Amino acid sequence: MPDPIEVRKVPIESVTDASGLARLIADGVIEADRVLAVIGKTEGNGGVNDYTRILADRAFREVLATHGHPSPESVPLVWSGGTDGILSPHATVFATTADAPASEEPRLSVGVAMSEVILPEDIGRPAMVEKVAAGVREAMKIAGIDDPRDVHYVQTKTPLLTLATITDAKSRGQDTAIEETGPSMDLSNSTTALGIAVALGEIEMPSAGQIHKDLSLYSSVASCSSGVELDRAQIVLVGNVRGIGGRYRIGHSVMKDALDADGIWDAIRDSGISLPDRPHPSDLGGRLVNVFMKCEADPSGRVRGRRNIMLDDSDVHWHRQIKAAVGGVAASVTGDPAVFVSVAAVHQGPSGGGPVAAIADLG
């Protein structure tokens, strides 16, 4: 049986601020050597050259090292860049604990794993799907989860294409699925999501022609991010296990479109928080730790029949616009703008919508 989990959300007050993590350790809430993973939002542009992710990564690893973690470089730190609109930079810290109440009810469990090296020529192709799926299955074992239905959130970080990696592939006689670095972020995310869906039995193994094209294929629990920080899939899998003990539970649902606040509320209910038929943020009573979601500009260019110009706008990329919009919807539900909202959600939830996971503190 894996150890029970402590999970806390901390603010990030500047690009290199990791004081929230340091306070958790100093106050005895968590122990540095028990930190399993950190999932956070940084304030950069969210693009290929968003180095706020690297700065945050370095700051948090330095805190872990200072407080005695034996191998801080091995801890998955998954950073999603871009806090557009009212979104607030923050981090959610997952750690094991020896001090947790016993419970036979489903309680939070976390499994972390790394895939095999993902080569630049793998991105956007079945080889990457297979490598990610194998990593997800390993993370399930580590979390002590046998039934895929008990998995509610899979957060990944994978490599995208850069000029250097495209050149490397060519030097070895290989080609890449595309040669544009910016769009490779979306492609890496979508390929990873299909790997998660295959591992959890949500879909069969897709063909090469379905990757990033057949929008009927998706995972309801995948949240995929990519960047220049690593060369393999970094996987943080979160679900529930009976008998593990602890205070926390996770649930999930999907947003059907960018305005689907009910989808967020459904995920919160699934996490074990009882709510009235027409809930308000005040009904949460401090029990919601955080929500995690992906979003995508609807490829039709419409939301609920109304036209928008996100996909036609040459001034502000649609990534930033939809992130700000969904962030506002999410914050109106939670009453807290420190929510995890990430873009490039092809194959992650229904087209134009996205998956939502919610973690509750059930006391």
Side-chain angles (χ1 to χ4, degrees), residues 227-247:
V228 299
E229 304 96 308
L230 68 176
D231 63 359
R232 60 191 72 206
Q234 194 176 64
I235 300 160
V236 180
L237 181 144
V238 190
N240 294 316
V241 172
R242 289 186 180 275
I244 191 174
R247 296 161 37 193

Side-chain angles (χ1 to χ4, degrees), residues 215-216 218 255-257 296-300 345 347-354:
L215 300 184
S216 69
Y218 65 84
M255 292 180 75
K256 297 174 183 175
D257 61 32
E296 185 85 3
D298 195 302
S300 71
H347 300 315
Q348 297 152 78
S351 183

Side-chain angles (χ1 to χ4, degrees), residues 87-328:
L87 288 173
S88 183
H90 69 281
T92 304
V93 181
F94 297 84
T96 60
T97 179
D99 183 21
S103 176
E104 291 304 314
E105 293 298 312
R107 289 294 183 265
L108 196 72
S109 185
V110 177
V112 299
M114 297 287 279
S115 76
E116 293 181 38
V117 171
I118 295 172
L119 301 170
E121 59 265 32
D122 294 337
I123 296 173
R125 291 174 171 154
M128 183 174 181
V129 175
E130 291 170 348
K131 289 179 178 181
V132 170
V136 170
R137 294 187 188 106
E138 179 63 22
M140 280 182 65
K141 291 178 184 178
I142 293 169
I145 297 175
D146 299 318
D147 189 340
R149 290 174 297 183
D150 291 326
V151 177
H152 293 272
Y153 176 41
V154 183
Q155 178 65 57
T156 61
K157 191 77 176 187
T158 51
L160 45 73
L161 292 172
T162 65
L163 181 59
T165 58
I166 293 170
T167 301
D168 171 66
K170 289 180 177 179
S171 74
R172 293 181 285 102
Q174 303 293 324
D175 66 348
T176 54
I178 59 174
E179 294 194 3
E180 297 81 21
T181 59
S184 76
M185 176 181 292
D186 295 34
L187 184 62
S188 180
N189 290 357
S190 61
T191 312
T192 303
L194 292 176
I196 294 168
V198 167
L200 300 180
E202 296 177 284
I203 63 169
E204 298 296 324
M205 181 68 189
S207 67
Q210 290 177 299
I211 297 173
H212 207 68
K213 293 182 176 67
D214 185 349
L215 300 184
S216 69
L217 303 179
Y218 65 84
S219 170
S220 295
V221 300
S223 176
C224 305
S225 185
S226 53
V228 299
E229 304 96 308
L230 68 176
D231 63 359
R232 60 191 72 206
Q234 194 176 64
I235 300 160
V236 180
L237 181 144
V238 190
N240 294 316
V241 172
R242 289 186 180 275
I244 191 174
R247 296 161 37 193
Y248 304 95
R249 180 172 168 176
I250 187 169
H252 81 276
S253 185
V254 296
M255 292 180 75
K256 297 174 183 175
D257 61 32
L259 294 176
D260 186 17
D262 287 341
I264 304 173
W265 285 117
D266 287 344
I268 294 171
R269 286 191 178 92
D270 195 45
S271 73
I273 297 177
S274 298
L275 296 167
D277 290 340
R278 293 180 62 84
H280 182 271
S282 61
D283 296 315
L284 295 171
R287 294 170 292 173
L288 182 67
V289 177
N290 206 0
V291 292
F292 306 82
M293 62 197 67
K294 293 291 291 189
C295 59
E296 185 85 3
D298 195 302
S300 71
R302 293 179 178 268
V303 174
R304 302 195 180 181
R306 297 291 193 182
R307 184 174 71 94
N308 62 71
I309 54 87
M310 283 188 288
L311 296 174
D312 287 325
D313 193 335
S314 298
D315 296 316
V316 181
H317 196 280
W318 67 262
H319 277 193
R320 311 200 74 163
Q321 298 189 48
I322 191 63
K323 193 189 308 176
V326 173

